[in-house]
Amino acid sequence: MKTYFSWVQTWIVFNCMHADVLPVLQEILLTLVEIKLAIREFGTPVVQQEEWLTAQQAMEFLYMEKRTFYRRRSEEQGKWVMKRVGKKWVYLKSSLCEK
């Protein structure tokens, strides 16, 4: 940030701006640096853990009977995120909620 700051000082001096403007610009630049640091510190998104459910857990989560669940699974093909783990299918909980 020092290069940008020095560039602003040089630009002001060469363009013969009023001397009272320089401290105001310096304060603005320092505030921008503080804002950037705050964004870096607090602006990082919280990473949520993916929660995978077995078929039985998914049925309980959706309050569905077995027959309804498997019918919806075939209807929602491509919308529900699922993967095979061993001999069983597991379903991404967040994909079950989407409409």
Side-chain angles (χ1 to χ4, degrees):
M1 197 53 145
K2 288 184 178 181
T3 55
Y4 181 74
F5 183 69
S6 60
W7 177 84
V8 170
Q9 285 178 329
T10 306
W11 183 80
I12 291 170
V13 171
F14 282 129
N15 287 316
C16 302
M17 273 191 141
H18 196 270
D20 293 337
V21 175
L22 183 60
V24 174
L25 285 175
Q26 288 173 339
E27 187 177 333
I28 291 171
L29 286 172
L30 290 174
T31 305
L32 286 173
V33 169
E34 290 173 1
I35 291 171
K36 276 188 170 184
L37 291 174
I39 289 172
R40 279 189 193 157
E41 185 177 340
F42 299 109
T44 57
V46 176
V47 178
Q48 293 181 349
Q49 292 286 69
E50 296 179 340
E51 188 175 351
W52 293 92
L53 304 174
T54 63
Q56 185 62 39
Q57 291 170 331
M59 286 181 238
E60 290 171 7
F61 174 71
L62 295 170
Y63 301 104
M64 287 185 186
E65 293 294 323
K66 189 175 187 177
R67 187 173 176 167
T68 307
F69 175 78
Y70 285 107
R71 183 178 32 123
R72 283 274 312 274
R73 183 177 104 167
S74 62
E75 291 172 0
E76 301 289 333
Q77 195 171 14
K79 294 180 185 175
W80 286 2
V81 178
M82 51 189 177
K83 66 180 178 181
R84 195 165 181 96
V85 177
K87 293 183 178 182
K88 298 185 179 207
W89 287 96
V90 290
Y91 305 86
L92 186 62
K93 186 176 183 179
S94 61
S95 72
L96 299 175
C97 302
E98 295 175 1
K99 293 184 178 182

